[in-house]
Amino acid sequence: MTLPDTETLLAAAGLLATAALWAVERFLPGRKRIGYRVQMDTAIGMNPRDAHSLVQLRLLRRDQEITDATLALLRFENDGGKDIVRQDYQEPLTVEFTGRTVIGVEVPDANPPDLVGMLTRNGGGLRHSGGRLVVPKVPLNKRNHFKLLVLLSADDDSGGSGSDGGGSGGDGSNGGAGGRRSHDVVVGGFISGGRIRRNTQRWGPRKLSLGLGGVCIILVGLLGGLLLNGHPATAGGECATGRLTVDGSSAFAPPMREIAQQYEARCRGAEIVVAESGSLAGLGRLSKAGKAAPGGNPAFLAVSDVAAPSIYQELTGRPVGIVLLGLVVNERTGVDNLTSEQVRGIYDGRYTNWKQLGGKDLPVRIVGRDAASGTRRAFETSVLRGSEPGTVSSYDCSGKDRDAAARVTRCEVNSTGSLLDAVGRVPGAIGYAEVYAAAKHPRVTGVRLNGREPDIEWGGQRDYPFWTVEYLYAYGQPEDGSLAAKFRVFTDSDTAKNVLRKYRHVPCADQSGVPASACRP
């Protein structure tokens, strides 16, 4: 549709004014953001092994000896452009120390100093239980920061457990990198209108602000041009009522369930049910629902860890996010790093005991996913470079009670949670899972692959191979105004992107952090 010149000029002037206001809102106040760094995480060598040593040192707290102790120093700071108030915390900051127990915590440094009192006050300060530390909702103005010095022990030899925010520790001096790997420390939380991220660099100038501002204004102009030419754009927060089912990937079910809850909270009358029957099973159910629905518009979407097979020509998908996957082993194996070739050797039966790979004297037991799993397909494609052994020799992975002649001990489960439960339960077990769920699971250790760890900051991925793109599929094109259509758009919103980051996924809608080739449809 072509507009008269006068109307075109008026519309262009209005668009430029809107873009200018948006630029002021975007770049002057900035975004809400809490950054964190693990400045130290190191073992405390207090117990000489030599029985004839002249000096025998012991680390005591409340008259109890702490063995296998470690000290961790974490720094939290408001490195965004807006002040953060208590009401901005939808979920408090939490720190998970996997495989360890928090003994005590102190605040050695804070700016402003009154943050120390807020963090340590009785009844409302720092709380810890087991390996989890909960940070109270404290206000942080721009550039405010605080440090936490945490004393920990290994789970098997913990010197006690805490429930209050007090405790003993050192003087909080900044240390170097410690002996434990950074993935042992998992920071969580959720702030409205912003994000929580790990800092990899110290503060420096924002060099491309003007260039990014120009690009954003151009994008706003293009969107305005589409609107002027009669192409309606559906707003991410626009609501629809009814009932919608989203089925598929169990690895992606937790963030999808939270995104659905956010939509329901904004849109009364919408009910979204999230199931997790597996990627390929979800695609099959969507195809069946579409063929049975009047007009071919079912109230059904499918989530898949892999692109839909060619037999589902009627399905249309869009990338939602990059899911970081990882190998996991039972904590008793004594192994935390494997090469791709060693992994292939485990799955084809060349390695049958962990001592062959520098670990403990334990037989290797494989926990696999069933054929409907998209995570399994991603593992086969990016790590094994071939099919996972199809023989199921065990019912529970403890022994070859199903096929005694099989080359490897292998069982199958139908979900991410079931796999992590099995790996944590069976000594010598190995499997693969989504990294956020794995990091929170007890008795499970994440394994570096070729010395690399998954990183939500895409630039840190380098050669780490084990990730997959999560797709959201519909049957054909959802009807305009339907709940399926509105919800698909909502998965690209800022709210949805924050949920994905919380679960250590990389949003495909965040084009500044993701190469186009990784999230292409």
Side-chain angles (χ1 to χ4, degrees), residues 168-468:
S168 63
D171 60 5
S173 61
N174 293 354
R180 290 183 178 268
R181 294 183 287 114
S182 62
H183 83 276
D184 285 337
V185 181
V186 180
V187 175
F190 190 40
I191 55 174
S192 59
R195 62 185 295 193
I196 297 167
R197 59 169 288 175
R198 185 178 69 196
N199 287 337
T200 56
Q201 295 180 343
R202 294 188 179 274
W203 264 94
R206 300 173 179 267
K207 295 182 179 180
L208 297 178
S209 295
L210 292 177
L212 290 174
V215 172
C216 291
I217 291 174
I218 292 172
L219 291 175
V220 172
L222 291 175
L223 178 60
L226 291 174
L227 293 171
L228 292 174
N229 283 279
H231 300 286
T234 304
E238 192 172 347
C239 296
T241 59
R243 192 174 192 273
L244 175 69
T245 297
V246 182
D247 192 10
S249 167
S250 65
F252 201 68
M256 180 56 72
R257 191 171 286 115
E258 190 164 332
I259 292 171
Q261 291 169 352
Q262 292 283 348
Y263 186 89
E264 290 173 338
R266 287 164 171 74
C267 301
R268 293 188 177 183
E271 180 184 359
I272 303 173
V273 178
V274 178
E276 44 184 304
S277 61
S279 296
L280 299 182
L283 293 172
R285 290 187 62 194
L286 172 61
S287 178
K288 183 177 180 180
K291 292 173 182 176
N297 288 300
F300 199 109
L301 297 173
V303 183
S304 177
D305 296 339
V306 292
S310 58
I311 60 172
Y312 297 122
Q313 295 288 339
E314 70 277 12
L315 304 186
T316 59
R318 59 189 299 177
V320 177
I322 294 173
V323 178
L324 303 177
L325 305 170
L327 288 161
V328 291
V329 295
N330 182 275
E331 63 181 0
R332 294 175 57 185
T333 60
V335 170
D336 61 7
N337 183 42
L338 292 169
T339 67
S340 297
E341 186 58 32
Q342 287 173 331
V343 174
R344 296 180 194 118
I346 289 172
Y347 279 77
D348 67 18
R350 281 179 283 157
Y351 300 111
T352 58
N353 193 295
W354 287 108
K355 67 181 180 180
Q356 297 173 274
L357 298 166
K360 302 293 180 62
D361 185 6
L362 285 171
V364 173
R365 297 177 173 101
I366 297 173
V367 184
R369 293 290 303 278
D370 58 26
S373 167
T375 305
R376 171 175 170 172
R377 291 214 171 186
F379 175 66
E380 292 174 332
T381 300
S382 59
V383 180
L384 285 189
R385 305 292 174 83
S387 298
E388 187 173 341
T391 302
V392 178
S393 61
S394 176
Y395 289 104
D396 63 0
C397 267
S398 295
K400 298 178 184 177
D401 53 357
R402 183 169 176 174
D403 184 357
R407 191 171 185 180
V408 296
T409 302
R410 180 177 176 273
C411 65
E412 285 186 358
V413 295
N414 61 3
S415 70
T416 297
S418 297
L419 183 143
L420 291 171
D421 288 340
V423 172
R425 172 178 51 84
V426 179
I430 182 173
Y432 44 83
E434 180 266 324
V435 297
Y436 181 84
K440 297 173 73 67
H441 204 281
R443 298 181 299 280
V444 168
T445 298
V447 176
R448 288 172 292 167
L449 192 55
N450 302 319
R452 303 288 185 183
E453 296 184 46
D455 194 335
I456 190 173
E457 301 300 331
W458 192 255
Q461 287 295 92
R462 298 184 182 178
D463 299 325
Y464 185 80
F466 196 12
W467 53 270
T468 189

Side-chain angles (χ1 to χ4, degrees), residues 462-479:
R462 298 184 182 178
D463 299 325
Y464 185 80
F466 196 12
W467 53 270
T468 189
V469 176
E470 202 71 35
Y471 295 92
L472 185 60
Y473 278 93
Y475 190 88
Q477 292 296 332
E479 183 180 359

Side-chain angles (χ1 to χ4, degrees), residues 36-58:
Y36 69 92
R37 292 197 297 273
V38 180
Q39 295 185 313
M40 178 179 70
D41 189 3
T42 187
I44 304 175
M46 297 293 293
N47 298 303
R49 301 298 182 187
D50 185 2
H52 302 291
S53 174
L54 294 176
V55 179
Q56 295 289 330
L57 301 178
R58 294 189 302 160

